[in-house]
Amino acid sequence: MTEKTRPQRTVPFRATENGCGRGGAATLPGRRSLTGARQFYLHPVRVPDFPVQFAIKRSIDAAGAFLGLLVLAPAIVIIAVLIKLGSKGPVFARQLHTGLNGAPFALLAFRCRPTGLDEVNSTRQPIAGDQQITPLGRFLDRTRLDVLPRLWNVLVGDLSLVGPRPHVPDMLITGRSYSDLVQGYEYRNLMRPGLTGLTQTHGPHDPAGHRWMAVRQIASDIDYIRQFSLLLDLKVMMRTAISAFKRR
C-alpha cells in the first residue's frame, strides 16, 4: 500500500474560508444528520505527488526507529523488568488502531494499568488524571516513556515518525463517532499515522472533550497531509523535541 491510495467513498463537502492552521482544512457546521445531530465537512484533500520525498520519509522512519531501539534498548529492558516486578501481566499493552488506508494494526505501549484495565479496543477519549494506573505507569505516562515500544511500530511500517494522530476504529467524542461528526474524516487515513504530528505541535492536542476541539484536531491532521513535505516533518520533529525539553 502507498500513501497515494485514496478512499473510494465520496462525501459532500462544505467550503469555508475559516480554516484551522495555514492549510485551511477546518470546517463549518453543515446540515443535520438523520439522527438530528450537527455534522461538519472537511475540504477535499489529496496526498501531494512527491514519490521521492515519500521514499526518503520511509527510509528516515526505518533508520530512525532502528537507531532509537538500539540506543534505548537498555532503558526498554529496565522498564520491562520493573513492570514485571511491579504487577502481574504482560509488559506491553496492545490496542487496535487504524493505519494507512484504514488498515488495522496493534499499537504498542508499555502497560501502565493493572491487568484487565487496558482496553484493547477502547473507543473513548483519554481522560486526564485517570486513576486506574499503576505508580510506575503514572511515571511512564508523565514522562512519555510508555510510548517507546511504538518505535517498533515505526520500524515495521505501521507508523511514521511524523503523521496524523493514530485513532482507534470508531473513535467516539461525546458519545458520537468521529466519522459521524465529520464527513471526510476518513481522509486522515491517506497517510500513515505518526508518533508526533502537526496537531501535537501546532494545534490543539489535549484530549478532545468537546466536539469543536475534536473537529479542530481532525482538521489539523488533514492540514498535515495537505501541506506534507520533508521540511515540514523536520519542523515538527524539532518542535516536538523542544516541547519535550521544556516539559522536563
Side-chain angles (χ1 to χ4, degrees):
M1 291 186 295
T2 67
E3 280 83 351
K4 297 176 67 175
T5 305
R6 289 182 291 171
Q8 298 301 311
R9 180 186 171 205
T10 301
V11 295
F13 295 92
R14 176 175 294 259
T16 174
E17 297 300 322
N18 298 331
C20 174
R22 293 173 296 170
T27 61
L28 287 177
R31 65 176 182 272
R32 292 186 179 274
S33 66
L34 295 177
T35 62
R38 182 71 70 181
Q39 290 182 313
F40 301 83
Y41 299 84
L42 290 175
H43 284 297
V45 64
R46 60 182 301 173
V47 178
D49 189 18
F50 300 150
V52 174
Q53 289 200 47
F54 277 117
I56 296 174
K57 175 182 174 68
R58 178 59 196 143
S59 298
I60 293 174
D61 287 343
F66 178 78
L67 290 175
L69 288 170
L70 190 64
V71 172
L72 296 170
I76 292 173
V77 171
I78 292 173
I79 293 172
V81 171
L82 291 176
I83 291 175
K84 293 298 290 185
L85 293 176
S87 62
K88 296 181 179 179
V91 170
F92 302 110
R94 293 174 171 84
Q95 189 179 46
L96 189 66
H97 277 66
T98 301
L100 177 64
N101 297 323
F105 71 96
L107 186 69
L108 296 177
F110 282 123
R111 180 173 58 85
C112 293
R113 300 181 181 185
T115 303
L117 293 180
D118 286 299
E119 300 167 273
V120 175
N121 295 309
S122 173
T123 58
R124 68 179 176 85
Q125 279 283 347
I127 299 175
D130 195 340
Q131 298 301 312
Q132 294 179 327
I133 190 170
T134 64
L136 176 60
R138 187 170 292 107
F139 170 77
L140 295 177
D141 179 69
R142 185 174 65 251
T143 58
R144 304 302 293 160
L145 291 174
D146 60 318
V147 303
L148 289 183
R150 294 181 187 177
L151 288 172
W152 176 257
N153 288 119
V154 176
L155 183 63
V156 300
D158 296 327
L159 291 178
S160 179
L161 293 176
V162 181
R165 295 161 305 132
H167 273 191
V168 300
D170 300 318
M171 174 76 89
L172 300 179
I173 173 66
T174 61
R176 295 179 62 191
S177 68
Y178 273 80
S179 57
D180 179 56
L181 177 68
V182 180
Q183 290 213 22
Y185 167 78
E186 69 273 18
Y187 281 99
R188 64 190 309 283
N189 295 328
L190 286 169
M191 291 181 63
R192 288 183 179 86
L195 288 181
T196 186
L198 196 63
T199 302
Q200 295 93 319
T201 60
H202 192 69
H205 55 273
D206 292 328
H210 189 275
R211 63 180 183 175
W212 280 107
M213 175 68 77
V215 171
R216 288 199 298 270
Q217 289 180 342
I218 294 171
S220 188
D221 287 335
I222 297 299
D223 275 342
Y224 170 76
I225 297 174
R226 189 188 306 275
Q227 302 169 25
F228 166 74
S229 70
L230 292 177
L231 179 59
L232 177 60
D233 276 15
L234 178 62
K235 290 179 179 178
V236 169
M237 286 190 284
M238 290 179 62
R239 289 171 183 163
T240 300
I242 292 172
S243 177
F245 179 78
K246 287 181 177 179
R247 282 200 303 268
R248 284 174 172 78

